[in-house]
Amino acid sequence: MAKTLYPKVNSSEITDESIWLSRRAFIKTTLSTALISTSGSLLSKELNALKSPVLRLPKHGSLTKYKDITRYNNYYEFTSDKKLVHHYAKELKTEPWTITINGEVEKPLTFDIDKLLGMMSIEERIYSLRCVEGWSMVIPWNGFPLAQLLKMAKPTSKAKYVKFTSLLDPEVMIGQRRPILNWPYTEGLRIDEAMHPLTFLASGIYGKDILPQNGAPIRLVVPWKYGYKSLKAITHITLLEKQPKTTWVDANPDNYGFYSNVNPKVSTPMWNQRKEVKIGEVRKKRTQLYNGYGEQVAHLYKDMDLTKFY
Ligand SMILES: Nc1nc2c(c(=O)[nH]1)N[C@H]1C(S)=C(S)[C@@H](COP(=O)(O)O)O[C@H]1N2
Ligand SMILES: [Mo]
């Protein structure tokens, strides 16, 4: 099934994508033999991720190399130097880790992250991540829809927004020793955006556990919005009646919005959004409205003026 969604790869250009695909094919065949499928314990997390269903909206071309995904990062808690993030983030301890769902819910929940991941069925999603700075990557995430977790906590009828909070730990997150942003990093979504089936919590990339620089142990992925909405290292998810303040809007409201839907027609003083460079490619390509996910999400914004910055 996955096969038909992918372009053929030349044997002369062995990429991360082709290696990953052949591993997936191998695991699929292996799994179909009774020997392994009867013994679930033989499967590591990685294998589980690779045999899971894939959802790919085929609009963004080939996958970005694993090396680029893990060596070119935005993570201001460590440094604003994208190429150094992975170096500092190595120090982050992601075990033990708990995630709390609270606020306007009938059943506030706190999970140990490993327990939570063990309970959820892990899917794969291949999404484009479009940074507001004008670059993008195509990343195969492993994880589960945020809606599954929110439903477990039973949002009350007052829950209109969801706020996400990242880790506060200035000992290790050395960027937090300076007040460049209002720490901890927070973000927010409207409840219908949070419940949308494309909105995802990721704990893996390319079938491997997600690394600290990409938001370990768990991060948000909202593919139709600029990358800063996709908050890393989540500790709290809080349902609210009112729209929360968010870190980037607080810091620079002329250039960052609460909605931040990808829109090539709306520029801000700092950025013109018409085009983007996909990391690993040379030629710029046109940015798509809602990052190409309009068919799935445009209905959420039918009352919004698409020439305005939100
Ligand atoms: N906690 C936290 N989450 C964050 C950021 C950050 O600085 N801190 N940067 C955001 C931005 S601007 C982008 S583009 C993406 C980058 O994700 P990646 O490094 O996994 O590609 O993470 C987002 N999530
Ligand atoms: Mo970004």
Side-chain angles (χ1 to χ4, degrees), residues 207-227:
K208 306 187 222 285
D209 282 349
I210 195 167
L211 296 177
Q213 59 265 42
N214 294 108
I218 192 156
R219 64 96 51 91
L220 183 65
V221 188
V222 193
W224 69 95
K225 293 176 180 284
Y226 293 119

Side-chain angles (χ1 to χ4, degrees), residues 66-82:
Y66 188 67
K67 194 162 178 203
D68 289 331
I69 297 171
T70 54
R71 292 287 183 278
Y72 188 84
N73 304 99
N74 267 337
Y75 208 158
Y76 282 76
E77 285 89 334
F78 292 101
T79 169
S80 57
D81 186 331
K82 294 188 225 309

Side-chain angles (χ1 to χ4, degrees), residues 3 44 50-51 53 90 101 147 177 194 199-200 243 245 264-265 289 296 301 310:
K3 255 187 191 153
S44 73
L50 283 167
K51 75 175 168 73
K90 276 206 284 276
I101 300 96
R177 295 177 196 172
T199 304
F200 203 61
Q243 184 176 314
K245 272 196 170 182
K265 294 211 170 118
L289 181 61
Q296 290 77 27
Y301 311 107
Y310 295 96

Side-chain angles (χ1 to χ4, degrees), residues 213-242:
Q213 59 265 42
N214 294 108
I218 192 156
R219 64 96 51 91
L220 183 65
V221 188
V222 193
W224 69 95
K225 293 176 180 284
Y226 293 119
Y228 61 88
K229 300 294 290 184
S230 292
L231 172 139
K232 298 177 176 181
I234 304 175
T235 63
H236 291 78
I237 300 178
T238 309
L239 288 90
L240 298 169
E241 193 168 3
K242 298 227 167 80

Side-chain angles (χ1 to χ4, degrees), residues 74 76 82 129-135 185 226-229 248 256 271:
N74 267 337
Y76 282 76
K82 294 188 225 309
L129 178 81
R130 168 63 158 81
C131 176
V132 73
E133 299 158 351
W135 53 267
Y185 190 115
Y226 293 119
Y228 61 88
K229 300 294 290 184
W248 281 108
Y256 297 87
W271 298 291

Side-chain angles (χ1 to χ4, degrees), residues 111-120:
F111 288 105
D112 167 77
I113 191 68
D114 284 340
K115 280 225 179 86
L116 175 65
L117 294 175
M119 285 165 63
M120 308 309 277

